[in-house]
Amino acid sequence: MGRNNSVVVGLQFGDEGKGKIVDYLSGSFDVVAKYNGGSNAGHTVVTDDRTFKFHLVSSGSLSAKHVVLGNGMAIDPAILTEEIRSIKEYNHDVQIHVSRDAHVVTPMHKLLDVEEENVRGSLKIGTTAQGIGPAYEDKYARTGIRMEELGSVTDMTEKLKVILAMKGKLLSGTPYAEKKGLDSMVSGLHELGNGLKPFLCNTARKLHEFDNDGLELLFEGSHGTLLDIDHGMYPYVTSSNTIAGAISSGAGFSFRRIKNVIGVVKAYMSKVGSGIFPTEILGSEADRLRTEGNEYGTTTGRPRRVGWLDLKLLNYAIRLNDVDYLALTRVDTLGIFDTIRVVTGYGNPDEEFSPSDKNLEFQEFQGWGKLDNDKLADITRHGFNALPENLARYIDFIEKNVGRKINIVSVGSKRNLTINRSSVTGN
Ligand code: IMP
């Protein structure tokens, strides 16, 4: 069994910087795997000379020997084809394993995503329009198309006709309601399926074999804990389980074989789409943070809502994932403020999520300023001891409040701008 099998999971609304942490750690692992979500996720990985944006494959794909996409994912075959091309260009010998049971996102699902949002009106979720919700709807309606079925024009057409009959109202007047339009989509999907066929396999069994062979496995959760379909802030959530425990169902790999649960938390918070955000900052302060942190969606380009770190929500996410230790990101961005706030409570200790921002309890900290190149060099050379005093105080306060160590701190977007005092060492 892999001695250090680990999972990296986001503890907020997504965009915590998981991509950077997974890429940084991936050098210590043989296999990187994803178990939920689809191209609604977006991970940015900055190597020394290039910036990669991944949606489907793990952010650790640039250095891993094996890249796995689990059965719990919803896969757009066109995007997967492109991502495989891009990682193989960089990581020539990588082996890709795509679950034959993962569900397919078709162009029709993308269109349905937009149509469903229109129908929702004021209940709009603000989805990424990547077709993820509709693809998972079909999965649970047991009419979904699985990756393996891309090989059969007949099977696909039959399923799509059922989906059309069920959702005809939303699709009427679109090209998919006509035989010509449907046939053309099916032949496009079939062609993509032929290209992807060599990568399809029983990934649950593969992962088990890798583990039995002593390979080290790193799982990457898509999105963030607060977007989990069951435990997030429903209905403003995504359509999959984003918590670490979903590895068991989304990859067919027992969660008991995972040694480390690493939770990624951004030094402040951000959110795309609608829904409750108790610690949201508005106005010019928000604009400043958004600009400094380049807080625009990786998938949609939408400006992200931003807010102060919420320790109530962080404690909730830590409990759900049973996090062992934390990776704190974006401290370089947050430091620019003279006064930094952290929310510690909502006035009512029984309240898990605050429905409003009326009774927020704050703790204030002084900023640590911009980290210039000399300071960054000092930090990467000397580690935690070289962190600015105000930042060390901020870290200490979070650790005490959540009862977990922050073992990894990211001080910039590049791979090397990371300090680490955990046993999982990174590159
Ligand atoms: P969907 O996943 O596209 O259906 O969108 C549902 C909600 O989750 C929307 O508010 C999206 O903005 C949000 N969302 C989905 N994936 C991510 C992500 O990776 N980062 C941040 N927000 C996300």
Side-chain angles (χ1 to χ4, degrees):
M1 184 164 118
R3 278 165 298 122
N4 258 325
N5 292 343
S6 301
V7 52
V8 172
V9 68
L11 299 179
Q12 296 158 324
F13 294 107
D15 308 314
E16 297 90 351
K18 287 182 300 293
K20 144 106 199 235
I21 301 299
V22 169
D23 172 61
Y24 166 76
L25 293 174
S26 61
S28 301
F29 293 86
D30 306 292
V31 182
V32 292
K34 288 195 42 184
Y35 54 90
N36 72 304
S39 53
N40 46 349
H43 321 288
T44 307
V45 177
V46 184
T47 62
D48 291 337
D49 55 345
R50 276 174 76 176
T51 298
F52 291 83
K53 288 193 191 302
F54 295 130
H55 299 283
L56 289 166
V57 299
S58 163
S59 313
S61 302
L62 297 176
S63 50
K65 295 190 194 87
H66 298 277
V67 170
V68 177
L69 287 91
N71 57 278
M73 296 186 71
I75 297 177
D76 179 328
I79 294 179
L80 179 58
T81 303
E82 180 50 31
E83 290 193 5
I84 291 177
R85 193 198 57 71
S86 150
I87 54 174
K88 278 188 169 268
E89 212 175 83
Y90 193 89
N91 182 0
H92 307 289
D93 300 325
V94 66
Q95 290 192 44
I96 318 262
H97 315 274
V98 180
S99 170
R100 56 190 190 196
D101 296 334
H103 279 253
V104 175
V105 180
T106 70
M108 194 167 96
H109 290 108
K110 289 191 169 179
L111 193 139
L112 279 168
D113 203 343
V114 177
E115 293 301 323
E116 288 183 2
E117 281 283 81
N118 289 338
V119 174
R120 282 185 194 112
S122 64
L123 298 180
K124 207 189 250 310
I125 296 163
T127 72
T128 57
Q130 293 297 305
I132 304 305
Y136 280 118
E137 284 165 26
D138 289 340
K139 169 177 175 171
Y140 289 101
R142 289 148 295 170
T143 47
I145 299 166
R146 303 210 278 183
M147 288 301 285
E148 194 173 41
E149 286 168 302
L150 288 175
S152 164
V153 167
T154 319
D155 289 354
M156 258 194 289
T157 310
E158 206 176 324
K159 287 252 173 97
L160 284 163
K161 281 187 178 158
V162 175
I163 299 170
L164 255 170
M166 288 177 165
K167 300 189 173 167
K169 204 168 153 205
L170 287 176
L171 291 165
S172 79
T174 72
Y176 309 117
E178 308 289 333
K179 183 173 180 333
K180 200 167 144 221
L182 196 76
D183 287 351
S184 142
M185 176 174 68
V186 170
S187 78
L189 287 167
H190 185 57
E191 198 179 320
L192 287 164
N194 284 340
L196 292 171
K197 206 169 172 183
F199 305 111
L200 297 191
C201 64
N202 177 345
T203 47
R205 196 163 84 192
K206 266 263 174 265
L207 286 166
H208 195 69
E209 286 165 6
F210 288 149
D211 190 44
N212 281 346
D213 290 346
L215 268 59
E216 300 289 353
L217 278 57
L218 177 63
F219 290 86
E220 174 179 357
S222 291
H223 326 297
T225 297
L226 303 174
L227 293 177
D228 184 279
I229 182 83
D230 285 292
H231 304 286
M233 293 184 171
Y234 193 90
Y236 303 106
V237 292
T238 190
S239 297
S240 61
N241 283 112
T242 60
I243 55 172
I247 288 173
S248 296
S249 54
F253 185 78
S254 172
F255 190 64
R256 291 178 56 180
R257 289 178 171 244
I258 306 287
K259 169 131 187 293
N260 305 299
V261 178
I262 305 164
V264 183
V265 52
K266 189 151 64 177
Y268 52 93
M269 293 176 78
S270 67
K271 176 172 173 55
V272 248
S274 324
I276 301 163
F277 188 175
T279 63
E280 183 164 13
I281 311 170
L282 301 166
S284 58
E285 214 174 20
D287 291 341
R288 198 168 156 220
L289 185 52
R290 193 175 298 115
T291 307
E292 187 71 22
N294 193 23
E295 291 292 353
Y296 294 88
T298 314
T299 304
T300 59
R302 285 182 288 180
R304 295 178 184 144
R305 299 160 68 191
V306 290
W308 302 116
L309 181 62
D310 184 331
L311 292 181
K312 278 287 274 191
L313 289 180
L314 182 57
N315 272 303
Y316 172 73
I318 288 174
R319 190 189 78 206
L320 276 172
N321 293 289
D322 197 7
V323 168
D324 290 299
Y325 62 86
L326 300 168
L328 182 69
T329 64
R330 294 288 195 156
V331 295
D332 50 319
T333 306
L334 187 63
I336 58 159
F337 286 101
D338 292 337
T339 305
I340 290 165
R341 300 176 121 188
V342 176
V343 170
T344 52
Y346 302 147
N348 173 1
D350 293 334
E351 199 126 55
E352 206 128 53
F353 299 159
S354 172
S356 78
D357 59 4
K358 288 210 175 63
N359 299 313
L360 296 185
E361 294 156 14
F362 286 102
Q363 177 80 27
E364 288 191 343
F365 293 83
Q366 275 179 356
W368 38 93
K370 220 174 169 64
L371 304 177
D372 62 21
N373 285 341
D374 286 346
K375 188 63 196 161
L376 288 174
D378 189 33
I379 294 172
T380 45
R381 202 170 311 124
H382 301 293
F384 281 72
N385 292 335
L387 290 175
E389 219 171 281
N390 287 346
L391 173 54
R393 234 177 257 137
Y394 188 71
I395 288 177
D396 188 55
F397 182 80
I398 299 171
E399 287 182 332
K400 290 210 168 92
N401 194 288
V402 302
R404 297 293 189 284
K405 291 303 270 182
I406 294 174
N407 279 342
I408 300 175
V409 177
S410 165
V411 291
S413 53
K414 286 198 169 169
R415 208 184 250 177
N416 67 326
L417 293 175
T418 316
I419 54 172
N420 183 0
R421 54 184 172 192
S422 76
S423 60
V424 181
T425 51
N427 292 309

